[in-house]
Amino acid sequence: MEFKAVQDAVIANNLSFFENSSPELIASIQHSKSFDTPLHIACRLGKADILKWMIDSNKTNLEACNREGKRPLHEAAHNSHDDCVCLLLGHKVQVDPFKSGDWTPLMLACTKSSLSTVQILLQAGADPCLKNKDGWNSFHIACREGHLTIVQCLMKFKPDIWNTKSKNHRSPLHTAALYGRTETVLYLVTECSYCTDEKDCCGVTPLMDALRAGHIDTAHVLIDLHKAATKIIVTSETI
């Protein structure tokens, strides 16, 4: 049996294909380059019925890794397929495995706008304070994306999660300002205790980031509410 035939059956949500196939044979299928298994494809596309068949067959490795180190839970969480996430977690898969770059399923979920996926993972014991290879935790990632409901959820779950820095000493406030996430910046400066004009390892402040990226509304929030010092911009233009 070729991988493409199995992949096409997953894409078409053709459950009868699997019901008429050998579970052992399906479990042995793997893409020669990506190392994806049928389980990865089902979780990536949100095919919960096919995922359930694979789980019930008791032949599928629920912790199989592809070339990127992604497990099925990474795929389901990254693509906001809550039913697949719940099926996997219900069968006791690891909730915080790292893929390449040290990304967990929760970190990947925080790149999307699905609050429910984040909540499911947190309730299952996912640790939002784990950091990837760049020193970013899930809160930092959510601030970059500007998903305020997820930022608020993480803060409610762990109130001091805002107090984090990347490996180059950038705070979530730096990142939210750089990406022009004005609503998130407003929340951060009112609900968190970031130091005004704190600098990263290159001497850059959140206000500098906002202005150099052209995010004027974000800059106004930092100046008016966070009392960021505008004079630093004049003395730091060459940084």
Side-chain angles (χ1 to χ4, degrees), residues 25-93:
L25 182 58
I26 295 296
S28 70
I29 298 293
Q30 189 174 40
H31 193 274
S32 60
K33 293 183 179 179
S34 68
F35 296 165
D36 279 338
T37 67
L39 197 59
H40 285 91
I41 304 299
C43 289
R44 187 177 301 150
L45 299 179
K47 306 299 184 180
D49 290 341
I50 293 175
L51 170 60
K52 187 176 185 304
W53 179 89
M54 293 182 191
I55 291 174
D56 291 345
S57 74
N58 292 317
K59 301 297 181 181
T60 305
N61 179 9
L62 302 184
E63 303 285 8
C65 295
N66 64 14
R67 187 176 290 277
E68 294 180 350
K70 281 187 174 181
R71 304 186 190 203
L73 185 60
H74 283 104
E75 297 287 0
H78 195 189
N79 292 283
S80 307
H81 296 312
D82 291 352
D83 45 0
C84 294
V85 170
C86 289
L87 278 170
L88 291 167
L89 292 173
H91 285 78
K92 308 302 182 184
V93 299

Side-chain angles (χ1 to χ4, degrees), residues 44-150:
R44 187 177 301 150
L45 299 179
K47 306 299 184 180
D49 290 341
I50 293 175
L51 170 60
K52 187 176 185 304
W53 179 89
M54 293 182 191
I55 291 174
D56 291 345
S57 74
N58 292 317
K59 301 297 181 181
T60 305
N61 179 9
L62 302 184
E63 303 285 8
C65 295
N66 64 14
R67 187 176 290 277
E68 294 180 350
K70 281 187 174 181
R71 304 186 190 203
L73 185 60
H74 283 104
E75 297 287 0
H78 195 189
N79 292 283
S80 307
H81 296 312
D82 291 352
D83 45 0
C84 294
V85 170
C86 289
L87 278 170
L88 291 167
L89 292 173
H91 285 78
K92 308 302 182 184
V93 299
Q94 294 181 45
V95 70
D96 279 327
F98 286 119
K99 77 170 192 69
S100 58
D102 296 336
W103 283 66
T104 66
L106 179 59
M107 292 176 191
L108 292 174
C110 287
T111 67
K112 306 296 183 180
S113 59
S114 177
L115 175 62
S116 60
T117 307
V118 170
Q119 290 173 325
I120 290 168
L121 291 166
L122 289 174
Q123 290 166 5
D127 185 352
C129 295
L130 293 176
K131 294 186 176 184
N132 65 18
K133 68 178 181 63
D134 297 314
W136 288 29
N137 65 16
S138 294
F139 185 79
H140 207 142
I141 293 165
C143 289
R144 181 192 69 183
E145 300 301 326
H147 301 316
L148 185 57
T149 57
I150 294 177

